[in-house]
Amino acid sequence: YLSVTSNSNTIIEYGIERANGLCYLLITDLTGRQVNKIQLNASVKHSQIELNNYQLNAGLYLYSLIIAGEIIDTKKMIISK
């Protein structure tokens, strides 16, 4: 799904079924430049994180759930100001 936000914060929910390594959420712009990398707690099956949108310029971003170096899922996020 596409996450669109103009609020000061965005909440991203995630689920980790099996984790045998480092888990993190990687946020990139459309050029592939890393904007943020957030380490996740692998022992929590379902949770959410809150991103501060003031750190991001208005635009389209991709966020990926990565577990043990493997991309599990990628979604789009639009930040409007």
Side-chain angles (χ1 to χ4, degrees):
Y1 62 91
L2 187 63
S3 176
V4 180
T5 182
S6 60
N7 298 329
S8 60
N9 294 321
T10 299
I11 295 175
I12 297 176
E13 295 183 25
Y14 65 91
I16 300 173
E17 296 301 321
R18 294 175 302 228
N20 295 327
L22 183 64
C23 303
Y24 57 94
L25 190 72
L26 181 66
I27 302 170
T28 61
D29 62 18
L30 289 183
T31 67
R33 182 180 63 89
Q34 180 177 316
V35 176
N36 201 348
K37 182 177 179 179
I38 303 163
Q39 187 167 344
L40 305 175
N41 184 348
S43 64
V44 177
K45 295 227 179 253
H46 297 283
S47 190
Q48 63 186 22
I49 60 166
E50 189 170 348
L51 295 175
N52 183 335
N53 294 340
Y54 291 118
Q55 301 171 359
L56 302 173
N57 294 323
L60 181 62
Y61 294 88
L62 302 174
Y63 60 96
S64 300
L65 175 62
I66 300 176
I67 300 175
E70 180 182 344
I71 298 173
I72 304 302
D73 196 11
T74 300
K75 299 193 184 289
K76 298 175 187 172
M77 173 175 60
I78 296 175
I79 302 293
S80 63
K81 302 225 177 178

